[in-house]
Amino acid sequence: RRRPAHAGGGAISIGDGTTLGIPVNVGGPTLTASGLNLGSIGTTTLEVDFGANSIPATVLVNGGVVTANGSVKVDINGTALTPGVVPLLQYTSLGGGGGFGAFSLGNVPRGVSATLQNNTGTSTIELHINSVDSLIWTGASDSTWDINTTTNWSLSGSPAIFLDGDA
């Protein structure tokens, strides 16, 4: 996994089976590159980590000429996500074997319903967060508040357990 501390604008290539970690910088773009080459024939992962930050209105990655060869999985992490549109990746051109079709939404936090969209008007791949459901304490089984065991919680109307890492 690579986490960018890159703002110099040069081209970046990410190999098959590699994850590019993108920590969200609320003040502006997290990563700027003249080109972003994603894989050759396998799967490449973009892992966007919002941490406890709210969703930004500015684009996270200025990718320049983006080439998506193989498949590109986009994983989302974060504890303060809210419904809205996040401009993830802006491009001057989007090519490769699959173009936008190579991109798919991978893992998202529990309770988050989201999709990826290609906004051709702004040349941006966007994350559309449709809804965010929170865990609700029900005490349905008993009064035990534990981790990974008792279904004393509800998530989206269904019984749930509290997992390590839930907020």
Side-chain angles (χ1 to χ4, degrees):
R1 173 189 326 222
R2 296 180 184 250
R3 292 208 175 264
H6 174 82
I12 298 173
S13 291
I14 305 299
D16 291 340
T18 304
T19 298
L20 174 62
I22 303 167
V24 172
N25 177 358
V26 177
T30 297
L31 177 64
T32 299
S34 61
L36 187 57
N37 183 30
L38 302 169
S40 58
I41 59 171
T43 301
T44 303
T45 302
L46 301 178
E47 183 181 85
V48 182
D49 189 352
F50 290 90
N53 295 314
S54 59
I55 62 172
T58 58
V59 68
L60 298 180
V61 178
N62 287 317
V65 176
V66 176
T67 306
N69 301 303
S71 61
V72 181
K73 183 175 76 159
V74 180
D75 289 340
I76 305 296
N77 296 315
T79 59
L81 300 177
T82 56
V85 176
V86 182
L88 294 177
L89 172 62
Q90 190 166 42
Y91 53 85
T92 55
S93 69
L94 179 60
F100 176 69
F103 287 80
S104 65
L105 187 60
N107 299 316
V108 296
R110 284 200 318 160
V112 172
S113 170
T115 59
L116 289 180
Q117 302 288 324
N118 186 18
N119 184 334
T120 57
T122 61
S123 300
T124 306
I125 296 175
E126 300 171 336
L127 174 69
H128 287 236
I129 301 174
N130 305 311
S131 64
V132 179
D133 289 336
S134 299
L135 284 169
I136 299 171
W137 171 260
T138 64
S141 296
D142 56 34
S143 62
T144 304
W145 186 324
D146 53 24
I147 296 175
N148 300 337
T149 305
T150 311
T151 56
N152 278 329
W153 297 85
S154 173
L155 181 63
S156 303
S158 297
I161 59 175
F162 189 92
L163 299 175
D164 192 21
D166 281 338

